[in-house]
Amino acid sequence: QVQLVESGGGLVQPGGSLRLSCAISGNIYDINSIAWYRQAPGKQREKVASTTPAGSTTYEDSARGRFTIIRTGDWRTIYLQMNSLRPEDTAVYSCRAGTTRDPFEYWGQGTQVTVSS
């Protein structure tokens, strides 16, 4: 079992920054990836960025150059540092853990990010 709890969302003005946190508990040794996703109203959920225990990190085009994944050494917290935020970044952001065992994925409950003046 893996538990994920996101925090750090809120209201921010365009051009501002936020740092989201994904707190991970349970059997972290089964985790083979952590990804941040987001879902805007009326749109499909999309991946933003992901990282692996080996340190490989990837970013989607929407995040590259503005967002950064930051990991703690013990793999218990994964941050998403978001800079230069835009109104189109408004969404519910969730973290997902991919695991080597059934059910092979876990999701957090999400945190709302609103970018508006």
Side-chain angles (χ1 to χ4, degrees):
Q1 288 281 335
V2 173
Q3 294 81 39
L4 306 170
V5 178
E6 301 94 333
S7 61
L11 173 64
V12 63
Q13 291 188 342
S17 298
L18 279 177
R19 178 175 287 196
L20 307 182
S21 300
C22 176
I24 305 166
S25 59
N27 193 358
I28 64 170
Y29 301 104
D30 287 345
I31 297 174
N32 56 21
S33 68
I34 294 288
W36 282 97
Y37 282 77
R38 68 184 183 185
Q39 186 166 22
K43 294 188 177 182
Q44 288 190 332
R45 185 165 55 194
E46 63 175 359
K47 185 188 287 188
V48 175
S50 62
T51 189
T52 67
S56 174
T57 302
T58 60
Y59 299 93
E60 301 304 310
D61 288 346
S62 60
R64 193 173 294 114
R66 300 187 299 127
F67 295 0
T68 304
I69 282 185
I70 302 169
R71 307 145 40 119
T72 57
D74 61 2
W75 196 244
R76 290 292 183 180
T77 306
I78 305 294
Y79 301 98
L80 183 67
Q81 176 67 42
M82 304 188 296
N83 299 328
S84 302
L85 283 163
R86 307 164 180 164
E88 53 265 39
D89 294 318
T90 295
V92 175
Y93 285 72
S94 302
C95 59
R96 172 192 179 276
T99 62
T100 57
R101 302 187 187 195
D102 189 36
F104 301 109
E105 68 174 9
Y106 295 87
W107 289 88
Q109 82 289 350
T111 185
Q112 176 71 47
V113 171
T114 302
V115 184
S116 175
S117 56

